């Protein structure tokens, strides 16, 4: 079954806990937590204390942490301690991919690798063993509400084929520009098993209905 991971980047930060509870009660499978350092991407978002607060408010929620930061390795333990269940970092980051992936798993957390729109799918092939997830960006990371770049579809297909060929059971996540009526079905057809969606869920007038629309696909 395809999972939905609403991105809190588009939530109302004055009522973050309530917004997250609402989408989880409506059937969302996890919470996508976008961390930006103003260096790997231009934008700044939020970090450890916010994750810790959200985890304390919703201790049973699966926290799908997406690190858009230059040096993820340095912060792995702190994100695990703050409540991350899966930590996804970028293959374009400045740290060792193998060391970062191993550190995440050594702390008992699931590891994921994200790839930007300009990065070929093959760049993650050497690192697939041991991963729980590969996240394909449908937009340039940094902001919610951008239009989906269809190059993500071809990458999902390549990743699905490679995982199948090697017998690897890895979730394929797609993040950015994912909408229930248009791009989400295309992503699922191409092999996505996790849909990350920010604005389409949290900016909807009726968030529960938006979640239900995704779950119906
Ligand atoms: C983009 C983030 C996304 C973002 C998606 O840099 O990684 O998770 O919140 O937002 P939408 O769904 O609005 O494109
Ligand atoms: Zn994200």
């Amino acid at each position: 079954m395809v999972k939905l991971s609403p991105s809190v980047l588009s939530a109302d930060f004055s009522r973050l806990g309530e917004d997250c509870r609402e989408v989880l009660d409506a059937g969302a499978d996890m919470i996508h937590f976008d961390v930006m350092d103003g260096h790997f991407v231009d934008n700044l978002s939020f970090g450890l204390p916010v994750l810790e607060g959200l985890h304390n408010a919703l201790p049973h929620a699966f926290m799908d942490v997406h690190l858009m930061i230059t040096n993820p390795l340095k912060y792995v333990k702190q994100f695990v301690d703050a409540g991350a269940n899966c930590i996804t970092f970028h293959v374009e980051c400045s740290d060792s991919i193998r060391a970062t992936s191993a550190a995440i798993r050594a702390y008992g957390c699931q590891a994921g690798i994200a790839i930007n729109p300009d990065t070929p799918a093959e760049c993650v092939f050497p690192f697939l063993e041991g991963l729980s997830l590969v996240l394909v960006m449908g937009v340039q990371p940094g902001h919610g509400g951008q239009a989906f770049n269809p190059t993500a579809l071809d990458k999902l297909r390549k990743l699905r084929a490679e995982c199948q060929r090697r017998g690897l059971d890895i979730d394929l996540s797609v993040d950015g520009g994912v909408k229930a009526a248009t791009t989400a079905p295309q992503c699922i057809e191409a092999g996505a098993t996790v849909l990350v969606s920010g604005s389409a869920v949290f900016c909807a007038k009726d968030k529960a209905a938006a979640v239900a629309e995704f779950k119906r696909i």
Side-chain angles (χ1 to χ4, degrees):
M1 204 194 63
V2 175
K3 290 166 268 189
L4 176 65
S5 187
S7 162
V8 295
L9 198 58
S10 294
D12 176 350
F13 299 134
S14 70
R15 52 188 308 278
L16 190 54
E18 289 92 327
D19 262 18
C20 289
R21 190 170 292 115
E22 197 177 334
V23 299
L24 289 165
D25 286 350
D29 299 277
M30 57 191 106
I31 293 295
H32 187 82
F33 191 87
D34 282 308
V35 180
M36 302 178 186
D37 63 355
H39 187 254
F40 183 78
V41 292
D42 277 350
N43 204 4
L44 285 164
S45 59
F46 36 68
L48 292 158
V50 179
L51 179 64
E52 197 176 354
L54 200 53
H55 172 62
N56 288 338
L58 300 163
H60 303 299
F62 187 97
M63 293 297 176
D64 169 34
V65 174
H66 178 192
L67 299 182
M68 285 161 276
I69 69 177
T70 303
N71 295 112
L73 183 53
K74 187 173 165 187
Y75 299 99
V76 166
K77 183 179 186 305
Q78 292 175 74
F79 275 103
V80 174
D81 289 344
N85 298 98
C86 179
I87 296 179
T88 298
F89 62 99
H90 274 259
V91 75
E92 304 88 358
C93 76
S94 297
D95 288 336
S96 155
I97 304 304
R98 279 185 211 287
T100 306
S101 176
I104 295 169
R105 286 177 282 132
Y107 287 115
C109 190
Q110 296 182 14
I113 296 183
I115 52 172
N116 281 340
D118 298 338
T119 303
E122 289 78 4
C123 287
V124 292
F125 287 3
F127 310 109
L128 289 175
E129 256 86 21
L131 286 189
S132 297
L133 179 138
V134 174
L135 182 152
V136 175
M137 290 301 305
V139 300
Q140 283 296 342
H143 298 273
Q146 305 177 70
F148 182 76
N149 180 338
T151 56
L153 298 174
D154 192 42
K155 282 193 246 181
L156 286 167
R157 285 189 199 102
K158 282 188 179 152
L159 281 157
R160 179 176 57 182
E162 182 68 6
C163 290
Q164 270 170 2
R165 192 180 69 78
R166 287 161 61 177
L168 297 170
D169 181 20
I170 297 176
D171 268 319
L172 297 182
S173 180
V174 58
D175 183 5
V178 179
K179 311 283 178 213
T182 53
T183 48
Q186 299 169 12
C187 292
I188 294 169
E189 187 277 321
T193 56
V194 180
L195 304 173
V196 176
S197 183
S199 49
V201 172
F202 283 109
C203 299
K205 264 211 181 85
D206 184 344
K207 291 187 267 300
V211 170
E213 203 188 338
F214 271 103
K215 299 298 287 187
R216 268 198 302 274
I217 305 170

PDB file of all heavy atoms in Angstrom, residues 71-92:
ATOM      1  N   ASN A  71      25.919  19.104   6.195  1.00  0.00           N
ATOM      2  CA  ASN A  71      26.676  18.154   7.024  1.00  0.00           C
ATOM      3  C   ASN A  71      25.766  17.319   7.938  1.00  0.00           C
ATOM      4  O   ASN A  71      25.735  17.521   9.159  1.00  0.00           O
ATOM      5  CB  ASN A  71      27.719  18.899   7.870  1.00  0.00           C
ATOM      6  CG  ASN A  71      28.780  19.559   7.012  1.00  0.00           C
ATOM      7  OD1 ASN A  71      28.862  20.774   6.923  1.00  0.00           O
ATOM      8  ND2 ASN A  71      29.561  18.739   6.327  1.00  0.00           N
ATOM      9  N   PRO A  72      25.063  16.374   7.350  1.00  0.00           N
ATOM     10  CA  PRO A  72      24.121  15.594   8.166  1.00  0.00           C
ATOM     11  C   PRO A  72      24.775  14.716   9.232  1.00  0.00           C
ATOM     12  O   PRO A  72      24.205  14.514  10.308  1.00  0.00           O
ATOM     13  CB  PRO A  72      23.373  14.745   7.128  1.00  0.00           C
ATOM     14  CG  PRO A  72      24.269  14.692   5.936  1.00  0.00           C
ATOM     15  CD  PRO A  72      25.016  15.981   5.926  1.00  0.00           C
ATOM     16  N   LEU A  73      25.976  14.208   8.936  1.00  0.00           N
ATOM     17  CA  LEU A  73      26.603  13.230   9.833  1.00  0.00           C
ATOM     18  C   LEU A  73      26.726  13.754  11.264  1.00  0.00           C
ATOM     19  O   LEU A  73      26.471  13.057  12.237  1.00  0.00           O
ATOM     20  CB  LEU A  73      27.976  12.834   9.264  1.00  0.00           C
ATOM     21  CG  LEU A  73      28.778  11.773  10.006  1.00  0.00           C
ATOM     22  CD1 LEU A  73      27.968  10.503  10.237  1.00  0.00           C
ATOM     23  CD2 LEU A  73      30.062  11.446   9.253  1.00  0.00           C
ATOM     24  N   LYS A  74      27.085  15.020  11.350  1.00  0.00           N
ATOM     25  CA  LYS A  74      27.288  15.675  12.646  1.00  0.00           C
ATOM     26  C   LYS A  74      26.023  15.649  13.524  1.00  0.00           C
ATOM     27  O   LYS A  74      26.125  15.708  14.746  1.00  0.00           O
ATOM     28  CB  LYS A  74      27.659  17.126  12.305  1.00  0.00           C
ATOM     29  CG  LYS A  74      28.088  17.987  13.424  1.00  0.00           C
ATOM     30  CD  LYS A  74      28.558  19.313  12.823  1.00  0.00           C
ATOM     31  CE  LYS A  74      28.675  20.389  13.872  1.00  0.00           C
ATOM     32  NZ  LYS A  74      28.955  21.688  13.249  1.00  0.00           N
ATOM     33  N   TYR A  75      24.856  15.588  12.899  1.00  0.00           N
ATOM     34  CA  TYR A  75      23.605  15.752  13.659  1.00  0.00           C
ATOM     35  C   TYR A  75      22.788  14.471  13.805  1.00  0.00           C
ATOM     36  O   TYR A  75      21.698  14.512  14.366  1.00  0.00           O
ATOM     37  CB  TYR A  75      22.738  16.830  12.992  1.00  0.00           C
ATOM     38  CG  TYR A  75      23.405  18.182  12.958  1.00  0.00           C
ATOM     39  CD1 TYR A  75      24.050  18.630  11.817  1.00  0.00           C
ATOM     40  CD2 TYR A  75      23.414  18.985  14.099  1.00  0.00           C
ATOM     41  CE1 TYR A  75      24.695  19.860  11.792  1.00  0.00           C
ATOM     42  CE2 TYR A  75      24.047  20.212  14.087  1.00  0.00           C
ATOM     43  CZ  TYR A  75      24.688  20.643  12.927  1.00  0.00           C
ATOM     44  OH  TYR A  75      25.323  21.855  12.919  1.00  0.00           O
ATOM     45  N   VAL A  76      23.328  13.362  13.293  1.00  0.00           N
ATOM     46  CA  VAL A  76      22.533  12.123  13.275  1.00  0.00           C
ATOM     47  C   VAL A  76      22.025  11.757  14.669  1.00  0.00           C
ATOM     48  O   VAL A  76      20.832  11.556  14.892  1.00  0.00           O
ATOM     49  CB  VAL A  76      23.349  10.961  12.667  1.00  0.00           C
ATOM     50  CG1 VAL A  76      22.691   9.624  12.952  1.00  0.00           C
ATOM     51  CG2 VAL A  76      23.507  11.155  11.162  1.00  0.00           C
ATOM     52  N   LYS A  77      22.931  11.678  15.634  1.00  0.00           N
ATOM     53  CA  LYS A  77      22.534  11.227  16.977  1.00  0.00           C
ATOM     54  C   LYS A  77      21.486  12.169  17.570  1.00  0.00           C
ATOM     55  O   LYS A  77      20.504  11.735  18.173  1.00  0.00           O
ATOM     56  CB  LYS A  77      23.755  11.142  17.896  1.00  0.00           C
ATOM     57  CG  LYS A  77      23.376  10.602  19.259  1.00  0.00           C
ATOM     58  CD  LYS A  77      24.558  10.484  20.201  1.00  0.00           C
ATOM     59  CE  LYS A  77      24.179   9.804  21.511  1.00  0.00           C
ATOM     60  NZ  LYS A  77      23.070  10.425  22.220  1.00  0.00           N
ATOM     61  N   GLN A  78      21.680  13.472  17.364  1.00  0.00           N
ATOM     62  CA  GLN A  78      20.731  14.441  17.939  1.00  0.00           C
ATOM     63  C   GLN A  78      19.336  14.295  17.322  1.00  0.00           C
ATOM     64  O   GLN A  78      18.334  14.426  18.019  1.00  0.00           O
ATOM     65  CB  GLN A  78      21.246  15.862  17.742  1.00  0.00           C
ATOM     66  CG  GLN A  78      22.504  16.141  18.560  1.00  0.00           C
ATOM     67  CD  GLN A  78      23.073  17.508  18.250  1.00  0.00           C
ATOM     68  OE1 GLN A  78      22.533  18.520  18.671  1.00  0.00           O
ATOM     69  NE2 GLN A  78      24.146  17.542  17.485  1.00  0.00           N
ATOM     70  N   PHE A  79      19.279  14.011  16.017  1.00  0.00           N
ATOM     71  CA  PHE A  79      17.958  13.826  15.405  1.00  0.00           C
ATOM     72  C   PHE A  79      17.310  12.525  15.877  1.00  0.00           C
ATOM     73  O   PHE A  79      16.094  12.479  16.082  1.00  0.00           O
ATOM     74  CB  PHE A  79      18.031  13.912  13.871  1.00  0.00           C
ATOM     75  CG  PHE A  79      17.963  15.333  13.382  1.00  0.00           C
ATOM     76  CD1 PHE A  79      19.102  15.989  12.948  1.00  0.00           C
ATOM     77  CD2 PHE A  79      16.761  16.032  13.406  1.00  0.00           C
ATOM     78  CE1 PHE A  79      19.042  17.316  12.533  1.00  0.00           C
ATOM     79  CE2 PHE A  79      16.692  17.353  12.986  1.00  0.00           C
ATOM     80  CZ  PHE A  79      17.832  17.997  12.553  1.00  0.00           C
ATOM     81  N   VAL A  80      18.113  11.494  16.065  1.00  0.00           N
ATOM     82  CA  VAL A  80      17.547  10.239  16.592  1.00  0.00           C
ATOM     83  C   VAL A  80      17.025  10.485  18.010  1.00  0.00           C
ATOM     84  O   VAL A  80      15.899  10.124  18.352  1.00  0.00           O
ATOM     85  CB  VAL A  80      18.594   9.103  16.570  1.00  0.00           C
ATOM     86  CG1 VAL A  80      18.037   7.849  17.243  1.00  0.00           C
ATOM     87  CG2 VAL A  80      19.020   8.787  15.139  1.00  0.00           C
ATOM     88  N   ASP A  81      17.820  11.151  18.826  1.00  0.00           N
ATOM     89  CA  ASP A  81      17.397  11.435  20.205  1.00  0.00           C
ATOM     90  C   ASP A  81      16.150  12.322  20.246  1.00  0.00           C
ATOM     91  O   ASP A  81      15.343  12.230  21.161  1.00  0.00           O
ATOM     92  CB  ASP A  81      18.532  12.127  20.986  1.00  0.00           C
ATOM     93  CG  ASP A  81      19.685  11.171  21.281  1.00  0.00           C
ATOM     94  OD1 ASP A  81      19.476   9.940  21.153  1.00  0.00           O
ATOM     95  OD2 ASP A  81      20.788  11.640  21.624  1.00  0.00           O
ATOM     96  N   ALA A  82      16.002  13.171  19.250  1.00  0.00           N
ATOM     97  CA  ALA A  82      14.840  14.075  19.215  1.00  0.00           C
ATOM     98  C   ALA A  82      13.569  13.384  18.723  1.00  0.00           C
ATOM     99  O   ALA A  82      12.490  13.972  18.787  1.00  0.00           O
ATOM    100  CB  ALA A  82      15.152  15.284  18.338  1.00  0.00           C
ATOM    101  N   GLY A  83      13.708  12.147  18.204  1.00  0.00           N
ATOM    102  CA  GLY A  83      12.495  11.409  17.839  1.00  0.00           C
ATOM    103  C   GLY A  83      12.393  10.962  16.395  1.00  0.00           C
ATOM    104  O   GLY A  83      11.343  10.450  15.986  1.00  0.00           O
ATOM    105  N   ALA A  84      13.455  11.119  15.607  1.00  0.00           N
ATOM    106  CA  ALA A  84      13.391  10.681  14.200  1.00  0.00           C
ATOM    107  C   ALA A  84      13.272   9.160  14.120  1.00  0.00           C
ATOM    108  O   ALA A  84      13.970   8.446  14.829  1.00  0.00           O
ATOM    109  CB  ALA A  84      14.647  11.129  13.450  1.00  0.00           C
ATOM    110  N   ASN A  85      12.381   8.672  13.262  1.00  0.00           N
ATOM    111  CA  ASN A  85      12.266   7.234  12.991  1.00  0.00           C
ATOM    112  C   ASN A  85      12.981   6.857  11.711  1.00  0.00           C
ATOM    113  O   ASN A  85      13.456   5.734  11.549  1.00  0.00           O
ATOM    114  CB  ASN A  85      10.799   6.818  12.894  1.00  0.00           C
ATOM    115  CG  ASN A  85      10.058   7.067  14.180  1.00  0.00           C
ATOM    116  OD1 ASN A  85       9.371   8.075  14.331  1.00  0.00           O
ATOM    117  ND2 ASN A  85      10.213   6.192  15.153  1.00  0.00           N
ATOM    118  N   CYS A  86      12.993   7.790  10.756  1.00  0.00           N
ATOM    119  CA  CYS A  86      13.756   7.602   9.517  1.00  0.00           C
ATOM    120  C   CYS A  86      14.461   8.924   9.239  1.00  0.00           C
ATOM    121  O   CYS A  86      13.839   9.992   9.367  1.00  0.00           O
ATOM    122  CB  CYS A  86      12.820   7.241   8.364  1.00  0.00           C
ATOM    123  SG  CYS A  86      13.674   7.024   6.778  1.00  0.00           S
ATOM    124  N   ILE A  87      15.732   8.861   8.914  1.00  0.00           N
ATOM    125  CA  ILE A  87      16.471  10.076   8.556  1.00  0.00           C
ATOM    126  C   ILE A  87      16.928   9.951   7.108  1.00  0.00           C
ATOM    127  O   ILE A  87      17.644   9.011   6.748  1.00  0.00           O
ATOM    128  CB  ILE A  87      17.694  10.305   9.474  1.00  0.00           C
ATOM    129  CG1 ILE A  87      17.239  10.540  10.924  1.00  0.00           C
ATOM    130  CG2 ILE A  87      18.535  11.483   8.968  1.00  0.00           C
ATOM    131  CD1 ILE A  87      18.376  10.755  11.908  1.00  0.00           C
ATOM    132  N   THR A  88      16.490  10.904   6.295  1.00  0.00           N
ATOM    133  CA  THR A  88      16.884  10.948   4.889  1.00  0.00           C
ATOM    134  C   THR A  88      17.798  12.148   4.688  1.00  0.00           C
ATOM    135  O   THR A  88      17.453  13.261   5.065  1.00  0.00           O
ATOM    136  CB  THR A  88      15.631  11.068   4.000  1.00  0.00           C
ATOM    137  OG1 THR A  88      14.814   9.912   4.202  1.00  0.00           O
ATOM    138  CG2 THR A  88      16.008  11.163   2.526  1.00  0.00           C
ATOM    139  N   PHE A  89      18.963  11.886   4.103  1.00  0.00           N
ATOM    140  CA  PHE A  89      19.915  12.965   3.814  1.00  0.00           C
ATOM    141  C   PHE A  89      20.194  12.941   2.316  1.00  0.00           C
ATOM    142  O   PHE A  89      19.866  11.975   1.619  1.00  0.00           O
ATOM    143  CB  PHE A  89      21.206  12.785   4.634  1.00  0.00           C
ATOM    144  CG  PHE A  89      21.956  11.521   4.321  1.00  0.00           C
ATOM    145  CD1 PHE A  89      23.049  11.537   3.471  1.00  0.00           C
ATOM    146  CD2 PHE A  89      21.548  10.287   4.845  1.00  0.00           C
ATOM    147  CE1 PHE A  89      23.734  10.365   3.151  1.00  0.00           C
ATOM    148  CE2 PHE A  89      22.220   9.111   4.533  1.00  0.00           C
ATOM    149  CZ  PHE A  89      23.308   9.151   3.688  1.00  0.00           C
ATOM    150  N   HIS A  90      20.824  13.999   1.810  1.00  0.00           N
ATOM    151  CA  HIS A  90      21.006  14.111   0.354  1.00  0.00           C
ATOM    152  C   HIS A  90      22.321  13.503  -0.115  1.00  0.00           C
ATOM    153  O   HIS A  90      23.363  13.698   0.505  1.00  0.00           O
ATOM    154  CB  HIS A  90      20.931  15.581  -0.068  1.00  0.00           C
ATOM    155  CG  HIS A  90      19.521  16.023  -0.316  1.00  0.00           C
ATOM    156  ND1 HIS A  90      18.992  16.127  -1.578  1.00  0.00           N
ATOM    157  CD2 HIS A  90      18.524  16.329   0.548  1.00  0.00           C
ATOM    158  CE1 HIS A  90      17.729  16.509  -1.491  1.00  0.00           C
ATOM    159  NE2 HIS A  90      17.419  16.646  -0.213  1.00  0.00           N
ATOM    160  N   VAL A  91      22.238  12.826  -1.264  1.00  0.00           N
ATOM    161  CA  VAL A  91      23.447  12.266  -1.876  1.00  0.00           C
ATOM    162  C   VAL A  91      24.389  13.407  -2.302  1.00  0.00           C
ATOM    163  O   VAL A  91      25.593  13.202  -2.451  1.00  0.00           O
ATOM    164  CB  VAL A  91      23.070  11.336  -3.071  1.00  0.00           C
ATOM    165  CG1 VAL A  91      22.653  12.119  -4.303  1.00  0.00           C
ATOM    166  CG2 VAL A  91      24.182  10.355  -3.390  1.00  0.00           C
ATOM    167  N   GLU A  92      23.833  14.638  -2.422  1.00  0.00           N
ATOM    168  CA  GLU A  92      24.643  15.812  -2.810  1.00  0.00           C
ATOM    169  C   GLU A  92      25.282  16.510  -1.604  1.00  0.00           C
ATOM    170  O   GLU A  92      25.919  17.551  -1.757  1.00  0.00           O
ATOM    171  CB  GLU A  92      23.782  16.838  -3.561  1.00  0.00           C
ATOM    172  CG  GLU A  92      23.053  16.318  -4.792  1.00  0.00           C
ATOM    173  CD  GLU A  92      21.679  15.719  -4.459  1.00  0.00           C
ATOM    174  OE1 GLU A  92      21.306  15.674  -3.269  1.00  0.00           O
ATOM    175  OE2 GLU A  92      20.982  15.287  -5.403  1.00  0.00           O
TER     176      GLU A  92
END
